Amino acid sequence: MEGPRIAARQAAVKDAEALAAVHAACFSAPWDAELLKIFLEARDSLCVLSTEGETVTGFLLTRIAADEAEILTLAVAPETRRQGIARTLLEAAVDGLKQRGAKHLFLEVDEKNVAALGLYRGLGAKPVGRRPAYYADGGDAAILRLTLDERLAEDGPTR
Ligand SMILES: CC(C)(COP(=O)(O)OP(=O)(O)OC[C@H]1O[C@@H](n2cnc3c(N)ncnc32)[C@H](O)[C@@H]1OP(=O)(O)O)[C@@H](O)C(=O)NCCC(=O)NCCS
């Protein structure tokens, strides 16, 4: 059964504090508002956020170079997880990235991050490499690639 529609929109510089709060709730080395502002002001980045009422529940920050894009960070507030927010953010970002000419989206993910791997694979991302000992705890990163021409939808490639 379909849940309520999740509101997603492009993030602006004025959202930096709210994004920093979500990031801090998700990562042990959070990015502060000043750093996020730099990304939000950059011409080569695209950031979408989700809201529930006035509250920001998650965001996805990407960067574009020619026809390739990469995910810089993705965070969904712990209390709002598993409602389809990350999937909605990715779908919204993909629309924007395609409009800006991107054909592939690359992402690095901790091989132990079951949630993120499930999300990306569910949307059709394929493994294309790995970075050994990439994380502070010595863990490896998987590099995945999502081809943006393929349909990204609830009944998409591997779902
Ligand atoms: C990864 C993260 C962004 C997922 O956000 P989310 O809004 O809960 O994800 P969604 O509800 O959109 O889930 C979409 C799909 O991802 C997969 N998934 C999400 N969370 C999962 C979990 N805990 N375990 C297994 N699969 C999971 C499922 O396939 C899910 O589809 P389903 O609910 O229909 O089964 C969130 O857990 C998070 O912010 N984690 C901490 C930060 C992080 O790891 N960011 C990614 C770095 S690469």
Side-chain angles (χ1 to χ4, degrees), residues 8-159:
R9 65 167 168 84
Q10 195 149 332
V13 174
K14 67 175 170 46
D15 298 310
E17 297 284 350
L19 303 193
V22 172
H23 205 269
C26 294
F27 293 99
S28 53
W31 295 2
D32 66 18
E34 288 309 309
L35 175 62
L36 287 162
K37 267 183 200 160
I38 293 170
F39 285 122
L40 290 166
E41 280 166 349
R43 295 172 70 102
D44 62 351
S45 66
L46 184 143
C47 184
V48 288
L49 62 76
S50 54
T51 52
E52 203 173 283
E54 297 294 301
T55 307
V56 174
T57 53
F59 72 102
L60 169 63
L61 176 63
T62 64
R63 182 163 59 188
I64 310 163
D67 63 355
E68 290 184 356
E70 64 173 325
I71 291 183
L72 297 181
T73 194
L74 166 64
V76 173
E79 64 277 13
T80 60
R81 286 185 191 160
R82 220 58 203 265
Q83 298 172 19
I85 291 175
R87 192 186 295 127
T88 300
L89 289 170
L90 263 158
E91 287 167 355
V94 164
D95 278 348
L97 293 171
K98 278 168 136 175
Q99 282 171 25
R100 288 172 64 171
K103 297 203 169 15
H104 294 103
L105 176 60
F106 288 85
L107 27 118
E108 263 152 21
V109 53
D110 190 328
E111 290 190 336
K112 296 188 292 301
N113 192 338
V114 175
L117 283 170
L119 167 74
Y120 297 141
R121 288 200 184 125
L123 290 168
K126 302 281 187 298
V128 290
R130 56 206 298 263
R131 294 191 203 281
Y134 185 70
Y135 296 103
D137 68 354
D140 299 341
I143 305 169
L144 306 185
R145 184 181 64 197
L146 189 60
T147 300
L148 303 185
D149 288 341
E150 284 167 15
R151 196 162 158 244
L152 253 190
E154 283 183 30
D155 58 351
T158 59
R159 288 180 56 81

